[in-house]
Amino acid sequence: MVKCYWVVMMAGILSLTGCSSKPEYTSPNAGRYQQQQDSKPERLPTMLEMIDPVPVAEPLSRGGNRPYQVFGQHYSPIADITLFQETGIASWYGSKFHGHLTSNGETYNMFAMTAAHKTLPLPSYVKVTNLDNGQSAIVRVNDRGPFHRDRIIDLSYSAASKIGMLKQGTARVQLELIKSPAMLAQGLATANQPCYIQIFASTDNVKLNQLSAEVEQKLAVPTQIQAADGIFRLLVGPSKDNRQAQNWLAKLKANQYPGAYFFDSTVCS
């Protein structure tokens, strides 16, 4: 069972959450919650509660994006990030924090598809893939944590269930940023932008170029590779209209690319 702790520091005292399998610190907010240790709810999430949220580029929240310090460690959220990948250990947090405020002032709902991360913008959207079973989910990052040194993300109960990590409590995952406020600021969600479908992202440009040629030859669709900050995205497109985009997405999902998704759902919808 996952055990969690909470730190509050907002505008100088910002609300922060973090989870660990075994707490290493004494929380300065002891007694804040009815439960001393985290616990799972009495029921599993429903199918509706595990539907991926639609990624949109939202403006930065007023709270939760300032530099902060927890247990002597300094963290600097990256508000202008547009490309991000990370591999590490995920944990989850549940009943103890349900109904309490997240770092950006929202109410934590363990049955919503959300997550906590130390430095990603609040809010932003991340694709989380369980590297042990291949199951993935899209989550909306609206909280800070986890502050255990070997964890990179805390998932809600629903998100953890969707990627099959409830039994183990933790999982090896890969994170990929899908939407962030910086994307909105750069105008990536304008109605006039052509529609693209992302099928893969990697730091290996040679591998992506080979895959790009295979996709074009096998599926007869245009591809291009977009690079930024050492990360390369393989995109299919642009499409001439939304109907063509929908057809391409269906074709990709039926041909060995079930994880393909619209690079910007506001353009492609």
Side-chain angles (χ1 to χ4, degrees):
M1 180 179 296
V2 178
K3 303 177 182 178
C4 304
Y5 47 85
W6 180 275
V7 179
V8 175
M9 306 162 57
M10 200 166 190
I13 303 179
L14 181 67
S15 276
L16 303 165
T17 62
C19 301
S20 67
S21 58
K22 184 177 181 181
E24 295 182 340
Y25 312 100
T26 300
S27 170
N29 295 293
R32 174 181 172 88
Y33 306 102
Q34 293 181 347
Q35 300 181 28
Q36 277 194 327
Q37 299 176 353
D38 199 10
S39 63
K40 63 182 180 181
E42 295 181 354
R43 66 173 180 87
L44 291 172
T46 65
M47 294 298 293
L48 288 176
E49 289 168 335
M50 291 190 290
I51 294 177
D52 288 342
V54 176
V56 294
E58 303 178 48
L60 283 169
S61 66
R62 293 185 178 181
N65 288 296
R66 301 182 183 92
Y68 63 93
Q69 179 178 341
V70 178
F71 302 122
Q73 180 69 42
H74 293 271
Y75 300 94
S76 297
I78 311 172
D80 60 352
I81 194 168
T82 59
L83 289 175
F84 177 85
Q85 278 191 333
E86 187 177 17
T87 301
I89 303 298
S91 50
W92 62 271
Y93 59 135
S95 297
K96 179 178 179 179
F97 304 100
H98 184 72
H100 291 274
L101 294 181
T102 64
S103 296
N104 68 344
E106 299 176 357
T107 300
Y108 175 59
N109 178 2
M110 61 184 168
F111 293 110
M113 295 291 286
T114 61
H117 190 274
K118 300 180 188 72
T119 58
L120 283 174
L122 302 185
S124 56
Y125 291 80
V126 173
K127 182 178 181 181
V128 184
T129 302
N130 187 332
L131 296 177
D132 294 321
N133 60 22
Q135 297 179 36
S136 63
I138 294 175
V139 295
R140 182 174 180 268
V141 180
N142 68 345
D143 209 355
R144 290 292 176 221
F147 299 110
H148 192 286
R149 60 190 172 204
D150 68 345
R151 309 289 165 79
I152 64 170
I153 194 168
D154 263 341
L155 300 176
S156 68
Y157 185 68
S158 286
S161 179
K162 183 164 186 177
I163 68 169
M165 59 169 278
L166 286 182
K167 183 177 181 180
Q168 295 82 2
T170 60
R172 296 187 312 116
V173 298
Q174 177 177 287
L175 310 182
E176 181 188 351
L177 180 67
I178 298 178
K179 288 294 175 187
S180 70
M183 294 178 179
L184 177 62
Q186 291 183 4
L188 297 183
T190 60
N192 294 326
Q193 183 184 358
C195 178
Y196 290 91
I197 299 168
Q198 179 168 322
I199 61 174
F200 202 75
S202 173
T203 57
D204 188 341
N205 190 29
V206 174
K207 178 179 179 180
L208 277 196
N209 275 285
Q210 293 173 345
L211 182 58
S212 174
E214 292 174 7
V215 171
E216 288 191 354
Q217 181 178 12
K218 181 179 179 181
L219 302 180
V221 293
T223 66
Q224 60 179 265
I225 295 175
Q226 184 183 89
D229 300 327
I231 298 176
F232 303 91
R233 297 178 186 267
L234 176 55
L235 305 176
V236 169
S239 63
K240 61 182 180 181
D241 55 47
N242 290 342
R243 177 175 295 181
Q244 184 182 63
Q246 293 285 353
N247 290 338
W248 284 352
L249 182 61
K251 182 187 294 188
L252 288 165
K253 286 181 174 293
N255 287 271
Q256 299 179 345
Y257 304 103
Y261 61 89
F262 288 131
F263 185 68
D264 194 323
S265 58
T266 60
V267 174
C268 301
S269 60

